[in-house]
Amino acid sequence: MTPSAKPENASAHDRVYRGLRTRIMLGQIPPGQALTLRGLGREFGVSMTPAREAVNRLVAEGALSMSSSGRVQTPELSNERIEELAALRALIEVELASRALPRAHMALIERLQTINNAITDVVSNRDAVGYIRSNLEFHRTLYLRAQAPAMLAMAETVWLQLGPTMRELYGRLRRTEAPQYHRLIIAALKAGDEPSLRLAVRSDVTQGLRMLVS
């Protein structure tokens, strides 16, 4: 915060940023949805300044796009962009999982199993946002054990850019159960099998996205 910034403005900006960031990451806002500073100000009960600061921060992270005329919206990703982000997920998340493996104690594995069971429940309820939230929780819980915060932050930036697209993907998948690769991830962790773990994570983070570019 700069010396001239008012604490209340900084707090308002952070509240709008975090709230909007969460909605985008969880796919609560569809691709191509236009946003206005006035609308965000009303929604979060803040003035235009913190709303603008939050939007600018999210534009810098790739979570929102801004046209030359100042129109702000959630991005509509091209096939090339989806493929690029899928490749990034494969690179970063496979490495995170690999680093987490030596610290994958039974309590972690049981926690992942619990989350995966919850995913089955939200799938049966056709809860797209709940599915994305639980799926990201599954991955984040595992990757936290990697103790690689900079790498995890990069992964979360990719998730943020993909959020609206993941909601669209969920509609195409028509899932009836939790992702099969989650079970393979858990099995590989139990066995301490790094090659199988890397393959399962890579498959999990890329298979669905490939449906969008086929």
Side-chain angles (χ1 to χ4, degrees), residues 5 7 34 42 100-101 108 111 113 121 132 149 153 194:
R42 281 198 306 268
L101 181 59
L108 171 68
R111 173 64 182 151
Q113 186 63 66
D121 291 339
I132 295 171
E194 184 176 4

Side-chain angles (χ1 to χ4, degrees), residues 146-166:
Q147 297 182 6
M151 202 175 295
L152 179 55
M154 291 177 66
E156 291 192 344
T157 297
V158 177
W159 297 346
L160 182 61
Q161 294 181 28
L162 279 169
T165 300
M166 293 302 292

Side-chain angles (χ1 to χ4, degrees), residues 8-185:
E8 60 268 24
N9 283 347
S11 176
H13 148 256
D14 195 59
R15 181 160 53 83
V16 178
Y17 167 75
R18 292 183 183 279
L20 192 53
R21 184 179 188 272
T22 297
R23 292 182 192 181
I24 294 169
M25 187 179 288
L26 296 182
Q28 291 176 306
I29 306 176
Q33 176 71 53
L35 303 173
T36 67
L37 297 180
R38 193 178 304 279
L40 290 172
R42 281 198 306 268
E43 188 174 349
F44 287 94
V46 300
S47 66
M48 298 276 278
T49 298
R52 182 181 296 106
E53 290 172 348
V55 163
N56 287 341
R57 192 170 167 187
L58 288 163
V59 168
E61 290 183 292
L64 294 173
S65 62
M66 183 183 293
S67 70
S68 56
S69 64
R71 175 185 168 87
V72 176
Q73 65 179 54
T74 49
E76 295 180 279
L77 302 181
S78 65
N79 286 353
E80 292 77 13
R81 183 64 171 160
I82 292 171
E83 288 178 337
E84 179 189 5
L85 292 173
L88 273 174
R89 287 199 67 179
L91 287 169
I92 299 168
E93 297 185 43
V94 165
E95 180 64 21
L96 281 166
S98 184
R99 291 179 181 226
L101 181 59
R103 305 182 184 91
H105 45 66
M106 279 308 300
L108 171 68
I109 294 170
E110 289 170 1
R111 173 64 182 151
L112 292 173
Q113 186 63 66
T114 299
I115 296 170
N116 210 41
N117 292 340
I119 293 175
T120 300
D121 291 339
V122 297
V123 166
S124 65
N125 293 330
R126 306 301 300 164
D127 179 0
V129 172
Y131 171 80
I132 295 171
R133 178 185 288 110
S134 299
N135 185 53
L136 292 181
E137 183 186 3
F138 179 92
H139 287 275
R140 186 182 284 111
T141 298
L142 172 58
Y143 302 155
L144 281 169
R145 299 303 301 164
Q147 297 182 6
M151 202 175 295
L152 179 55
M154 291 177 66
E156 291 192 344
T157 297
V158 177
W159 297 346
L160 182 61
Q161 294 181 28
L162 279 169
T165 300
M166 293 302 292
R167 174 67 177 271
E168 181 181 343
L169 172 62
Y170 179 86
R172 293 196 191 185
L173 287 177
R174 307 193 187 285
R175 287 203 186 278
T176 57
E177 59 183 358
Q180 60 171 321
Y181 296 111
H182 284 192
R183 294 193 296 274
L184 296 178
I185 289 169

